[in-house]
Amino acid sequence: MNKMPLLFLGLLFTFALSWAGMVAIPYYQVGRMRPVLDDTTALPSPPALSGLALRGRAVYAANGCANCHTQQVRQASAGADIARGWGVRGTVSRDYIEETPSFLGTVRSGPDLSNIAPRWGKDAAAVNKHHAHLYSPVSVTPGSTMAPFPFLYSLRKVQGQPSSEAIAFSDSKIVPAGYEVVPSHDAKALVAYLLSLDRSYELPEAPTE
């Protein structure tokens, strides 16, 4: 008896079942998700990126930031991310519907960045801290193994008045006397993207309490 047709059908069924479980059903479930409107502000959650932050997302990708940082906060039952203060809740599928691709990441050489904005703040001091950290990570986090990104900045001699955009460093040895470090457009965009990383909003499937 020729069992090849039966074997072929068995393999085809196995492949179809695997494809449905791993591709079709998740795509159907996630693909239908939409942002949720806040009852008070009527703003969507998650918000869509625009302007400088959108450009910064491309800079983040181009410089391999996702190779060392994740953007996924584990549920309290699955890890200590929330206990570390990396978020008020675990991230869920809806958090990523406005992103293509999503920078979930797989390695944490550095901390998770899902909520770096509420952790560091969004004011002028936070902007300066991000720039100082990108230019010289150890100047902000002693002992950091993060690679510096000085090519995103201009080290130039002060001509007359210092630039209003010049970065202030806690260590005066970072910049030679008479010089200043000024961020490029891509550096500003990258920081704008980091300032947008705030998943502290509440979703129906992810309450913050």
Side-chain angles (χ1 to χ4, degrees):
M1 180 180 177
N2 187 358
K3 296 183 179 181
M4 286 301 295
L6 186 61
L7 178 61
F8 175 77
L9 289 174
L11 291 172
L12 183 62
F13 176 77
T14 301
F15 173 79
L17 191 63
S18 300
W19 180 84
M22 298 178 67
V23 179
I25 294 175
Y27 180 81
Y28 176 77
Q29 291 174 332
V30 178
R32 298 177 65 193
M33 286 184 174
R34 295 293 179 268
V36 177
L37 295 181
D38 185 275
D39 293 336
T40 304
T41 64
L43 295 175
S45 297
L49 290 181
S50 61
L52 200 58
L54 190 60
R55 168 59 189 166
R57 191 171 186 278
V59 178
Y60 183 94
N63 286 281
C65 300
N67 293 333
C68 296
H69 295 279
T70 57
Q71 288 188 31
Q72 50 177 312
V73 178
R74 293 175 294 181
Q75 304 295 334
S77 59
D81 293 357
I82 295 176
R84 292 188 183 105
W86 287 356
V88 294
R89 61 168 178 82
T91 49
V92 294
S93 299
R94 197 186 303 269
D95 286 312
Y96 306 103
I97 60 175
E98 296 290 349
E99 300 183 4
T100 304
S102 299
F103 297 131
L104 277 73
T106 57
V107 176
R108 283 179 174 171
S109 299
D112 186 271
L113 297 180
S114 297
N115 295 287
I116 190 64
R119 295 206 306 268
W120 281 22
K122 301 180 183 181
D123 57 7
V127 171
N128 185 84
K129 183 177 180 180
H130 277 296
H131 282 304
H133 187 250
L134 288 167
Y135 187 82
S136 175
V138 294
S139 70
V140 175
T141 309
S144 173
T145 59
M146 175 176 158
F149 294 87
F151 53 87
L152 293 175
Y153 298 85
S154 294
L155 174 63
R156 65 193 191 191
K157 197 166 186 178
V158 176
Q159 302 289 340
Q161 291 296 322
S163 170
S164 60
E165 296 183 332
I167 303 166
F169 293 94
S170 58
D171 184 351
S172 59
K173 297 179 182 179
I174 299 295
V175 183
Y179 285 79
E180 62 185 2
V181 174
V182 179
S184 66
H185 179 73
D186 277 355
K188 296 176 189 175
L190 179 54
V191 169
Y193 174 66
L194 294 173
L195 293 175
S196 76
L197 295 179
D198 183 352
R199 293 193 171 105
S200 58
Y201 50 79
E202 188 166 318
L203 295 174
E205 65 272 39
T208 56
E209 296 181 358

